[in-house]
Amino acid sequence: MTPVPTPAPVSNFLRTIIDNDLAQGRYADKRWAGKPGPASVQSQGDADPARIRTRFPPEPNGYLHIGHAKSICLNFGLASDYQGACHLRFDDTNPEKEEDEYVKAIIDMVQWLGFSWHYGDEKNCYFASDYFDYMYQFAEALVQADLAYVDEQSADEMRATRGTLTEKGTNSPWRDRPADESLRLLREMRDGKHPDGSMALRAKIDMASPNLNLRDPVLYRIRHVPHHRTGTRWCIYPMYSWAHPVEDALEGITHSICTLEFEDQRPFYDWILDHLADLGQLRRPLPNQHEFARLNLSYVITSKRKLLQLVREGHVDGWDDPRLPTLAGLRRRGYTPESIRLFCERLGVSKADSRIDYSVLEQALRDDLDPKAARSVAVLDPIKLVLTNYPEGQTELCHAPRNPHNPDAGQREFPLSRELWIERDDFREEPPKKYFRLFPGNTVRLKYGYIIRCTGCIKDENGKVTEVHAEYLPDTKSGTPGADSVKVKGNITWISVGHAVPAEIRLYDRLFTEAHPDAGDKNFLEALNPHSRHVVQAWLEPGTVGSADSAWQFERLGYFVADREDSTPEKPVINRTATLKDSWAPQK
């Protein structure tokens, strides 16, 4: 696991809230029995050793994406900074969409980012389904207190009577049924005696409330669907808005941090917890919900439904496709945990929604890798360069730093010979202005090698250049006394033909051509970039593959990584993570 650095805390409104709560002793009386539980369990515990408790509560219905990374870094980071605990909790209350595959993938990604849900001897990894018995117990308590009722309206009828932002809702005809009758029907729902959609348990709050979330929200619905952990034991499942606060309270969460779309749900969150505490089901002090702005990144979509559509319809090659904003995809593309944490740290925390340009994420990657990535050379679009005056069959070693920022990394060495691969773009028979690379009569330096003078080229019958010719200047090798005897403006990379290693290189670009591909009513599929992946057969500097490194900066080209699924030492497959600079920036 990558260790998480401890940067100097940056002030934000959440830290201010936590500082005030701790200063006022808001959670000084909180107890913790070493495990989640209701008042009867927590009252037997000692004072909670964790100063605060936060949680990261994903639903296991897809792979985590870059938006989740912000929440992960925030919740685990705050817990660490305040000597607290952060729980990993799976909100698995929707059995139709949840799978064990997603549970394993989420665990993998949280650990990959460098975080742990362990706190002392505690292993705080939980599932909402662990609490189904407690949730049902609490539901019966609400019914018996006449705070909830079983409604026999259909979903459409409930929707029609809910009202609008400008019109009050209408009471259900079942709202005033006796509590013992609702309790009997709830138990029948639990026992599978009623079909899907025929009944629902609703909280009894206020159908005239200006907040639509308080107009008798549904607590339980009937679903005869097997659950990935509980099987067929349950056929009623809690709604997320009911389960979420209950889970927080059972786990002793102090600060329930979520994104702004849940702000309107906070009054219902508080209503549930206050009434359950009044009924003796939960122990005070209770959790408090706080909202922050979610991460909106340009040129990507983060809707799990739309990501699933991309995967299932074959627009991408699975959840870990390097073009996706999933953490699995970013990892496969070559993003490091440190770069993603740096990105999230730079974003900060606010309550104002904004859209971050994708280039900010790429720059975090460059800033992380530049001081530590091993250097090497690759030629992606090769053309042969022949040094016509270099002896046939002769080779000599050239040297270059493994990383110019880290002298302790040492030197790498590679052979120079008569025939070299260079980038096709490094030769122009008729160069444009300010072109300083190879053209007839011009001199350039072979980087880390000799200065050469271009003497011409060979073309095929279609006029395409197939071979470039040049002469080397023997006394100008880099690192020797004559290296500066001839001044040149151009510098090109190269690889010895006889020593080059063949490799497949996948050049990835943004998956969408539009910054906001799913804004409004747009069909996001129409914005797919047809050039988001380009595969080339390239040549690598010898010694690149098979070294201890699996990620490199290929000089002049960008940052690359060996594909974690397809690459082998015998058949290297390399992914481009990012170019050396933002290739989408406006050109001046």
Side-chain angles (χ1 to χ4, degrees):
M1 186 180 301
T2 307
V4 181
T6 307
V10 178
S11 179
N12 58 58
F13 77 95
L14 289 174
R15 288 185 179 276
T16 300
I17 290 171
I18 295 172
D19 289 339
N20 290 338
D21 287 345
L22 293 175
Q24 296 169 11
R26 185 167 191 166
Y27 299 101
D29 296 332
K30 191 166 76 69
R31 294 182 176 273
W32 175 244
K35 62 181 181 180
S40 58
V41 171
Q42 299 305 342
S43 294
Q44 300 175 25
D46 296 325
D48 192 344
R51 296 181 74 208
I52 67 170
R53 286 185 185 266
T54 61
R55 82 290 173 273
F56 173 62
E59 182 182 358
N61 63 347
Y63 279 58
L64 298 182
H65 53 66
I66 187 63
H68 293 111
K70 181 176 179 180
S71 180
I72 293 170
C73 292
L74 179 59
N75 281 287
F76 281 94
L78 285 172
S80 176
D81 290 347
Y82 284 93
Q83 299 83 53
C86 183
H87 299 186
L88 174 62
R89 179 209 305 148
F90 294 94
D91 265 314
D92 56 344
T93 59
N94 189 356
E96 295 160 302
K97 298 182 179 180
E98 297 158 354
E99 300 178 16
D100 285 334
E101 173 193 353
Y102 300 138
V103 171
K104 295 175 182 176
I106 290 169
I107 289 174
D108 181 29
M109 286 298 99
V110 174
Q111 290 178 325
W112 175 70
L113 277 178
F115 297 104
S116 172
W117 43 90
H118 290 208
Y119 177 77
D121 295 332
E122 300 174 16
K123 298 179 180 179
N124 294 308
C125 180
Y126 305 112
F127 291 81
S129 52
D130 293 336
Y131 313 137
F132 280 174
D133 285 311
Y134 289 138
M135 291 180 191
Y136 180 78
Q137 169 190 320
F138 296 166
E140 285 206 353
L142 290 178
V143 171
Q144 290 170 329
D146 200 28
L147 294 169
Y149 63 97
V150 171
D151 193 348
E152 295 183 51
Q153 292 183 107
S154 68
D156 288 339
E157 289 171 330
M158 287 188 200
R159 196 174 298 111
T161 57
R162 190 185 185 202
T164 66
L165 292 173
T166 58
E167 297 178 354
K168 297 179 180 179
T170 304
N171 285 352
S172 164
W174 311 103
R175 194 175 196 270
D176 296 323
R177 72 190 327 161
D180 57 350
E181 184 179 332
S182 279
L183 184 61
R184 174 180 59 81
L185 291 173
L186 175 60
R187 290 172 177 172
E188 290 179 2
M189 289 167 56
R190 176 200 61 189
D191 296 338
K193 295 182 179 180
H194 300 283
D196 290 3
S198 61
M199 296 180 181
L201 181 69
R202 299 178 70 178
K204 186 184 291 188
I205 307 180
D206 182 6
M207 290 300 293
S209 172
N211 185 336
L212 271 65
N213 296 291
L214 295 180
R215 294 182 185 179
D216 291 9
V218 173
L219 306 181
Y220 271 101
R221 79 282 201 205
I222 302 173
R223 289 288 186 275
H224 290 82
V225 178
H227 188 277
H228 73 108
R229 294 185 74 243
T230 62
T232 57
R233 183 186 171 202
W234 294 93
C235 59
I236 58 171
Y237 292 97
M239 301 297 290
Y240 177 80
S241 57
W242 151 249
H244 174 215
V246 170
E247 294 158 21
D248 284 347
L250 291 171
E251 293 180 20
I253 301 303
T254 57
H255 299 83
S256 180
I257 301 169
C258 53
T259 46
L260 280 175
E261 63 262 35
F262 295 101
E263 186 173 25
D264 288 344
Q265 290 281 359
R266 194 190 329 141
F268 182 45
Y269 182 102
D270 294 338
W271 185 93
I272 290 171
L273 297 186
D274 284 335
H275 282 290
L276 290 176
D278 290 344
L279 293 172
Q281 300 294 327
L282 297 175
R283 189 179 188 279
R284 300 181 191 274
L286 299 168
N288 281 274
Q289 177 177 302
H290 308 282
E291 306 85 19
F292 69 100
R294 66 184 299 169
L295 170 59
N296 298 301
L297 194 63
S298 66
Y299 295 100
V300 303
I301 59 169
T302 53
S303 160
K304 285 185 180 179
R305 176 180 60 83
K306 294 174 182 177
L307 290 173
L308 181 61
Q309 183 180 349
L310 288 172
V311 172
R312 287 185 172 173
E313 293 181 359
H315 300 289
V316 294
D317 298 329
W319 285 100
D320 65 345
D321 187 298
R323 293 167 292 181
L324 287 181
T326 58
L327 295 181
L330 291 169
R331 176 175 67 175
R332 187 172 177 183
R333 183 158 174 168
Y335 278 83
T336 62
E338 295 86 352
S339 67
I340 293 177
R341 296 200 303 261
L342 177 61
F343 170 66
C344 293
E345 179 185 336
R346 287 176 172 175
L347 294 182
V349 182
S350 74
K351 290 185 75 80
D353 272 325
S354 62
R355 189 172 288 271
I356 307 300
D357 192 80
Y358 195 88
S359 62
V360 179
L361 174 61
E362 291 179 323
Q363 190 57 47
L365 181 280
R366 296 184 189 103
D367 291 343
D368 175 55
L369 285 186
D370 183 50
K372 64 185 183 184
R375 270 39 172 187
S376 189
V377 169
V379 177
L380 306 187
D381 185 14
I383 188 172
K384 186 178 290 187
L385 168 66
V386 179
L387 304 180
T388 56
N389 65 333
Y390 195 89
E392 292 192 35
Q394 178 176 308
T395 62
E396 60 183 289
L397 291 178
C398 296
H399 299 83
R402 292 189 181 278
N403 187 303
H405 303 294
N406 181 15
D408 293 338
Q411 298 279 306
R412 66 188 204 269
E413 60 180 29
F414 39 88
L416 179 142
S417 62
R418 177 184 172 90
E419 295 186 347
L420 309 174
W421 291 122
I422 64 171
E423 290 287 350
R424 183 172 295 276
D425 193 46
D426 282 342
F427 172 77
R428 287 284 188 275
E429 192 173 12
E430 297 180 2
K433 290 182 178 180
K434 297 185 178 180
Y435 183 85
F436 300 121
R437 285 167 278 171
L438 282 174
F439 56 87
N442 193 41
T443 55
V444 301
R445 178 174 292 282
L446 295 175
K447 197 170 185 183
Y448 311 118
Y450 293 97
I451 290 175
I452 63 173
R453 179 178 293 110
C454 182
T455 57
C457 63
I458 295 177
K459 302 179 184 179
D460 62 16
E461 61 275 13
N462 298 315
K464 182 179 180 181
V465 176
T466 59
E467 194 171 280
V468 179
H469 287 182
E471 294 178 346
Y472 85 109
L473 307 186
D475 297 325
T476 60
K477 187 177 181 181
S478 293
T480 67
D484 296 329
S485 60
V486 179
K487 301 298 182 182
V488 296
K489 294 183 178 180
N491 217 322
I492 65 172
T493 51
W494 53 274
I495 303 172
S496 169
V497 169
H499 304 85
V501 177
E504 175 183 305
I505 294 191
R506 298 169 180 174
L507 304 173
Y508 290 105
D509 213 326
R510 299 179 184 181
L511 186 58
F512 296 97
T513 58
E514 296 183 19
H516 315 308
D518 58 348
D521 297 325
K522 289 191 296 188
N523 178 2
F524 69 100
L525 296 178
E526 294 178 357
L528 281 170
N529 179 7
H531 307 296
S532 60
R533 180 173 67 177
H534 178 54
V535 179
V536 299
Q537 300 304 313
W539 296 103
L540 304 181
E541 177 184 305
T544 301
V545 177
S547 68
D549 303 303
S550 60
W552 311 270
Q553 184 195 107
F554 290 158
E555 299 190 28
R556 297 174 57 202
L557 298 177
Y559 295 94
F560 292 75
V561 65
D563 187 89
R564 58 187 293 116
E565 297 294 332
D566 299 334
S567 187
T568 66
E570 296 77 23
K571 293 184 177 181
V573 177
I574 311 295
N575 298 330
R576 182 174 66 188
T577 309
T579 54
L580 287 179
K581 59 182 180 179
D582 183 11
S583 59
W584 284 58
Q587 300 299 311
K588 295 182 180 180

